[in-house]
Amino acid sequence: MLILLTNDDGIRAPGLVALYREIRDLGEVHVVAPETVQSASGHGITLDTPLLTQRVTIEETFTGTAVEGRPADCVKLAMAQILPRTPDLVISGLNSGANVGINVIYSGTVAAAIEAAFLGAPAIAASLHLRSDIRTDYAAGAKHARMAIDRVLAAGIKPGEIVSINVPAIAQRAKPAGMKVVRQCTRPWVDTYEERTDPRGRKYYWNSSVFTLGETEDDTDVAALRDGYITITPLQFDLTHHLMLRAWQDREWK
Amino acid sequence: MLILLTNDDGIRAPGLVALYREIRDLGEVHVVAPETVQSASGHGITLDTPLLTQRVTIEETFTGTAVEGRPADCVKLAMAQILPRTPDLVISGLNSGANVGINVIYSGTVAAAIEAAFLGAPAIAASLHLRSDIRTDYAAGAKHARMAIDRVLAAGIKPGEIVSINVPAIAQRAKPAGMKVVRQCTRPWVDTYEERTDPRGRKYYWNSSVFTLGETEDDTDVAALRDGYITITPLQFDLTHHLMLRAWQDREWK
């Protein structure tokens, strides 16, 4: 099996290295990932500047291609240029931080998976929830992600399909509550900004929002992750609002 | 009517200025837009650095807030901090370049509209198709966008709803073929990269893909825009693949 491993935290990120170690026995794993941290980069791509690359060896564990670009650039470049053929699987992660709820639309991790699916591969995004009261353990997180990846492969993920996995923050020696297939929570959060003034009198703003696994319906990714489950959410990239489309097509437009 | 106008090409972009002139009679229009060009920035947001802002006056036409951030940052900051209340309408555009087909997922213009809808406003993205064989006329494009905006308002766009409008490239004194409500085309395109070597021997890559309104089904945004229509596409931000979700929920997961 030919596998592309990428992420949005950069090729040196502990989550990627831990996940590489967990999945390398699955097949031939190529790593093509951003040179620098690209968190919350969304689905941006680079068209007007070149993508600089270099081959790097990380923690004596793998040699991969570092790309000075966005997560989706890495997938595009890998699939168009670097890999010998369309990979049998693309994995993006293990991200530092959950990608549940509306965070899914900001996520570079998810964007990389969506790009891969759109270009014809089966794609999995894997993210680890972080909690300030629990020591982050990427090795354990990657083990749980691998369990979920195995289940997704057994379920039969097809080219063009995307599955997002989120692993709960787990105390040492504890276990996830189980695994749940759940939808994305689309509830808004409340943004807050702190206003300050620079030495020259200009206003600037810090985003001071606190992102918690808060109010939600029972059947969502947010609820399941909060309750300690590994979450599995199938995603898609058709942004058309089909219900509204049909209603509006029934009106007269000239 | 309180209106927020933003874009991804920057607050000085000719498309934004032209659209401002076309919509200012609709109500009280506040402009909050990126300081610099943010094309293909996708739905990125800024969490770890401050958003610098300044008040700028553009072409003696309006005074607005320029934000050193991404399109979605502008919407967040405007709605959380700058505007007196949730706007009655958010308009993003007029973008230099069409946002149809899979481009929708890379688009900063669309990301701004999605962010606004998610935060509880009715949101319209407006984009102008550019063709090398037709002189770009932002004033005419903005007039056509305004026609479409009027139709969308008449149809009754609600808080949380998103409509993407694309205006065809039109030769002087010509007219659009009409207006069509169409779905997003989700066909992949083919990425190509040119490989080069820098003076120090490192490989770098230029994206050399040519984006055309190519092969597509008849009922899509791509087809309608290619045929000279103004396109109207309702969008949504629920990325869950609900069909796959239900199928996978029927399997056993533990």
Side-chain angles (χ1 to χ4, degrees), chain B residues 37-57:
Chain B
V37 178
Q38 297 288 324
S39 299
S41 66
H43 207 131
I45 53 172
T46 304
L47 298 176
D48 297 326
T49 53
L51 296 172
L52 308 181
T53 67
Q54 58 180 329
R55 294 286 290 171
V56 292
T57 299

Side-chain angles (χ1 to χ4, degrees), chain B residues 130-221:
Chain B
L130 306 182
R131 271 174 52 178
S132 55
D133 59 339
I134 293 180
R135 203 182 125 268
T136 303
D137 183 342
Y138 288 104
K143 258 192 223 319
H144 294 128
R146 168 65 195 267
M147 271 173 47
I149 289 168
D150 284 345
R151 298 296 299 274
V152 166
L153 293 176
I157 184 171
K158 289 190 277 286
E161 291 183 343
I162 309 146
V163 171
S164 175
I165 292 167
N166 282 278
V167 174
I170 292 169
Q172 240 187 325
R173 278 188 294 272
K175 279 185 175 174
M179 228 177 268
K180 269 192 182 173
V181 180
V182 279
R183 69 178 173 90
Q184 178 202 1
C185 171
T186 54
R187 283 206 185 192
W189 67 42
V190 177
D191 279 312
T192 54
Y193 286 89
E194 267 188 49
E195 182 180 303
R196 301 192 181 180
T197 306
D198 82 358
R200 290 180 177 77
R202 292 192 312 168
K203 281 184 188 168
Y204 66 97
Y205 299 87
W206 286 98
N207 187 307
S208 53
S209 309
V210 180
F211 307 112
T212 55
L213 301 178
E215 281 295 295
T216 183
E217 297 83 13
D218 285 346
D219 62 338
T220 66
D221 52 0

